[in-house]
């Protein structure tokens, strides 16, 4: 009976170790999901704050530049037209570089998400 008892004891230990492994793995994955979720929410929140402040800066600067160009040329509509064309050119450049921008964003996010 010694062999049967030894095998039974070993099986009990294996079950206990397996249960501890599963519980520890579950805790680890919960922490990992929490970490990734908090990083993602933090990135979105920071992007919203920084993006809104940058947008306000760009809008105020654009109006100022348009007024400056309009005053310099004695033609305010021309100043606003020039600033509009500047933004159109920047938009075309951003559209042309969209794949490069996508790769850069994916690379940055993958480092945050998978590390």
């Amino acid at each position: 009976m010694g062999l049967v008892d030894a095998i039974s004891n070993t099986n009990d230990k294996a079950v206990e170790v397996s249960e501890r492994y599963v519980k520890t793995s579950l805790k680890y994955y919960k922490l990992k999901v929490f970490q990734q979720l908090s990083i993602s929410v933090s990135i979105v929140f920071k992007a919203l704050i920084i993006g809104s402040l940058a947008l306000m800066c760009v809008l105020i600067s654009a109006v100022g530049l348009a007024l400056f160009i309009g005053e310099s040329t004695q033609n305010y509509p021309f100043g606003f037209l020039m600033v509009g064309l500047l933004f159109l050119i920047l938009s075309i450049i951003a559209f042309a570089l969209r794949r490069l921008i996508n790769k850069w964003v994916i690379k940055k996010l993958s480092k945050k998400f998978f590390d």
Side-chain angles (χ1 to χ4, degrees):
M1 281 294 217
L3 182 61
V4 173
D5 289 337
I7 291 173
S8 177
N9 190 20
T10 303
N11 284 341
D12 291 340
K13 286 182 182 179
V15 168
E16 182 182 319
V17 168
S18 298
E19 287 175 355
R20 278 191 302 164
Y21 174 75
V22 168
K23 287 179 184 177
T24 305
S25 295
L26 183 63
K27 287 179 183 179
Y28 170 76
Y29 286 116
K30 282 182 179 179
L31 284 173
K32 188 68 173 171
V33 166
F34 176 75
Q35 176 196 26
Q36 296 304 321
L37 184 63
S38 62
I39 288 172
S40 299
V41 169
S42 173
I43 288 172
V44 169
F45 191 66
K46 286 187 285 187
L48 285 174
I49 290 174
I50 294 169
S52 63
L53 292 173
L55 181 63
M56 285 191 297
C57 178
V58 167
L59 287 174
I60 291 171
S61 297
V63 170
L65 180 63
L67 289 173
F68 176 76
I69 292 172
E71 189 174 316
S72 297
T73 61
Q74 300 295 322
N75 189 356
Y76 287 107
F78 179 73
F80 282 93
L81 182 64
M82 288 295 108
V83 171
L85 287 175
L86 174 69
F87 280 118
L88 179 65
I89 290 168
L90 291 174
S91 298
I92 291 170
I93 290 171
F95 182 76
L97 298 175
R98 69 188 182 278
R99 288 187 181 93
L100 183 65
I101 294 169
N102 283 343
K103 287 179 185 177
W104 181 78
V105 169
I106 290 170
K107 196 178 292 185
K108 288 289 185 180
L109 287 178
S110 66
K111 285 181 184 177
K112 292 276 186 187
F113 191 78
F114 292 113
D115 287 340

